Amino acid sequence: MTDIAERIRSMPKAELHLHIEGTLEPELTFQLAERNGVPLRWPDVDALRAAYDFQDLQSFLDLYYEGAGVLRTAEDFHDLAWAYFQRAAADRIVHAEIFFDPQTHTDRGIPFDLVMEGLQAARARADRELGLSTLLICCFLRHASEASAFATLEELTPWAEQVVGVGLDSAEVGNPPEKFARVFAAARERGFRAVAHAGEEGPPSYIRGALDALRVERIDHGVRCLEDPELVARLARERVPLTVCPLSNLKLRVVERLEDHNLGELLAAGLVAMVNSDDPAYFGGYLTENLLAVHRALGLDGAAMRQLGVNAFEASWLASDAKARWIAEIDALFA
Ligand code: ADE
Ligand code: ZN
């Protein structure tokens, strides 16, 4: 009989909330900066890593967008995603649904198609060499305009076979979901599935807005839902998944201590919550580290850890036979 930590490490995992730009490790930032002749304002890797001390979401986003400036060529996007896929396989992630933020790149003159070519090359390689299945979700930046999101949707549409859905990320407070209702309606009409960040720093009304105005299938983060018991009842009844990111919430001071995180309460309320890594290069841990951290800090037992693992597959966009196969493997591990 292995202990819980060992089962956590070896269980098959699905990751549903992961920004590929948030997997840019400082070492790769420096390599790409040198390769592309991009000046950096930090003397070395250690100085950059030391700058990862955030007060809130915005202080992180400022650094995250700055870091993405070293990504210039299709090869860069391949190298970024391939590095993450290798990390993911080492964590026994077998399926990953990955966000990318095209406006971060197109706004500085990098063509949308170049980003896609690099990511597609890495996805094909992950499938071939690692047996890792991946899906892509194109996020609109909510601090940018509706017009910019519509322009992005136009660039995305020729890639509809390669990109399964659209999402919404970046600065939440002051940018409610309703700002993008028309863009999401157009995206859904074109066959894209939809998710949105809501209730990370923003109030529960933003979660309702994401469900009602954007008609999303999943809520990214959603941890502030507990402030609204009627909303919690609806999320449980409709089985709306919440892609929770514990170490992100700690680093961005959504919670002051991991021991204060409400993940255990979300599970106790019957919500389809699971653990994800968000921007692991910036937040100090990939998926297994997030799972081990909540196991330790919140005292989540084997049954709760199994539930987190199962919820990730239930909430994923895998075919139902693949979901059932992975869930059976988790059940066997925790039996
Ligand atoms: N972009 C990357 N990570 C994000 C997060 N946690 N919230 C909002 N936007 C993001
Ligand atoms: Zn996120």
Side-chain angles (χ1 to χ4, degrees):
M1 185 67 85
T2 54
D3 72 354
I4 293 181
E6 208 34 61
R7 292 181 218 193
I8 291 169
R9 285 192 191 91
S10 61
M11 93 174 159
K13 300 173 187 73
E15 170 122 85
L16 308 181
H17 184 156
L18 181 285
H19 303 262
I20 200 64
E21 293 88 351
T23 68
L24 180 59
E25 291 284 349
E27 288 78 6
L28 187 56
T29 305
F30 271 81
Q31 272 175 38
L32 297 182
E34 195 179 347
R35 187 155 99 188
N36 295 324
V38 178
L40 292 175
R41 65 183 170 89
W42 303 275
D44 54 37
V45 163
D46 290 340
L48 174 52
R49 194 166 263 123
Y52 294 176
D53 180 24
F54 309 115
Q55 284 68 56
D56 53 18
L57 174 58
Q58 189 59 54
S59 63
F60 155 70
L61 289 170
D62 292 342
L63 208 62
Y64 164 86
Y65 295 130
E66 185 176 355
V70 301
L71 297 160
R72 294 285 168 97
T73 67
E75 186 188 8
D76 298 340
F77 285 93
H78 164 275
D79 292 354
L80 172 71
W82 177 241
Y84 165 68
F85 293 148
Q86 290 175 284
R87 273 300 313 237
D91 267 359
R92 204 147 185 245
I93 292 173
V94 297
H95 176 70
E97 300 182 5
I98 292 153
F99 298 131
F100 68 113
D101 284 345
Q103 288 154 296
T104 302
H105 315 301
T106 53
D107 285 356
R108 54 190 178 84
I110 308 295
F112 188 99
D113 292 355
L114 174 155
V115 177
M116 284 303 307
E117 281 159 27
L119 296 179
Q120 281 300 103
R123 291 182 64 211
R125 194 171 170 193
D127 178 48
R128 205 169 54 235
E129 295 183 30
L130 303 170
L132 172 64
S133 70
T134 62
L135 295 173
L136 282 179
I137 299 172
C138 171
C139 280
F140 303 117
L141 299 180
R142 66 202 305 159
H143 70 261
S145 66
E146 183 199 43
S148 175
F150 264 118
T152 303
L153 177 60
E154 286 308 319
E155 297 192 283
L156 172 64
T157 298
W159 292 94
E161 291 283 302
Q162 288 80 28
V163 178
V164 68
V166 296
L168 186 64
D169 65 2
S170 193
E172 187 182 8
V173 174
N175 294 298
E178 290 77 6
K179 178 177 170 184
F180 297 96
R182 298 193 304 179
V183 183
F184 271 65
R188 282 186 288 98
E189 251 168 51
R190 294 178 197 190
F192 292 102
R193 305 181 74 155
V195 298
H197 285 53
E200 178 186 18
E201 286 189 343
S205 63
Y206 282 29
I207 300 175
R208 292 178 183 277
L211 294 173
D212 296 329
L214 306 184
R215 309 190 55 135
V216 299
E217 296 177 48
R218 296 195 297 244
I219 297 289
D220 296 311
H221 294 294
V223 290
R224 286 194 59 190
C225 71
L226 286 184
E227 296 167 29
D228 182 340
E230 255 180 49
L231 174 61
V232 173
R234 175 180 176 187
L235 294 169
R237 190 172 62 244
E238 297 178 9
R239 296 196 71 67
V240 178
L242 303 184
T243 65
V244 176
C245 306
L247 290 177
S248 165
N249 294 155
L250 180 65
K251 283 293 268 187
L252 302 187
R253 308 226 182 149
V254 170
V255 292
E256 280 309 313
R257 309 175 320 143
L258 203 54
E259 289 76 6
D260 301 331
H261 200 283
N262 64 15
L263 178 62
E265 284 133 281
L266 296 173
L267 287 180
L271 300 182
V272 187
M274 89 299 298
V275 168
N276 302 272
S277 68
D278 206 7
D279 303 284
Y282 292 89
F283 299 152
Y286 286 76
L287 183 51
T288 296
E289 281 139 345
N290 271 271
L291 286 162
L292 291 172
V294 293
H295 165 58
R296 280 189 227 109
L298 303 176
L300 296 182
D301 62 8
M305 298 313 298
R306 172 201 160 272
Q307 192 67 55
L308 290 169
V310 168
N311 287 351
F313 284 101
E314 176 183 334
S316 78
W317 294 338
L318 280 169
S320 50
D321 58 335
K323 287 188 190 189
R325 195 155 36 82
W326 293 123
I327 289 171
E329 192 175 320
I330 296 173
D331 279 339
L333 195 62
F334 282 93

